[in-house]
């Protein structure tokens, strides 16, 4: 990833707290609503799934595609955001 979005930079700059799922890079309103409908309403709930999948990029991308229909770019943005957050805070 040659550059990151402002949304990505904002997310990884501080603890997650109670941020909504749409605060994650790659997750906009449409995907956010799909995730919320399946119980993934907060960023930390998606982080939990990321950790259950042992931070494996391929597994997480597949899960995101199957769960909310994320495209390849959205999958990569969300994975990179969570990976970098984990590197900073875990």
């Amino acid at each position: 990833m040659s550059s990151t979005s402002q949304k990505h930079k904002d997310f990884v700059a501080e603890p997650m707290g109670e941020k909504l799922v749409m605060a994650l890079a790659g997750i906009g309103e449409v995907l956010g609503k799909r995730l919320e409908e399946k119980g993934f309403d907060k960023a930390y709930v998606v982080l939990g799934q990321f950790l259950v999948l042992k931070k494996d990029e391929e597994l997480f991308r597949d899960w995101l595609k199957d769960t909310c229909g994320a495209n390849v770019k959205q999958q990569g943005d969300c994975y990179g955001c969570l990976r970098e957050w984990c590197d900073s805070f875990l």
Side-chain angles (χ1 to χ4, degrees), residues 24-27 46 60 64 74-83:
L24 289 162
I27 306 299
V46 177
F60 183 74
L64 206 55
Q74 293 162 331
Q75 295 164 26
D77 288 351
C78 189
Y79 171 80
C81 182
L82 287 172
R83 187 194 65 230

Side-chain angles (χ1 to χ4, degrees), residues 1-2 10 12 15 18 28 42 47 58 65 72 76 78 87:
M1 187 160 35
S2 59
D10 291 344
V12 301
E18 295 288 322
K42 302 283 187 179
L47 172 66
E58 184 178 347
K65 179 179 69 177
V72 171
C78 189
D87 290 346

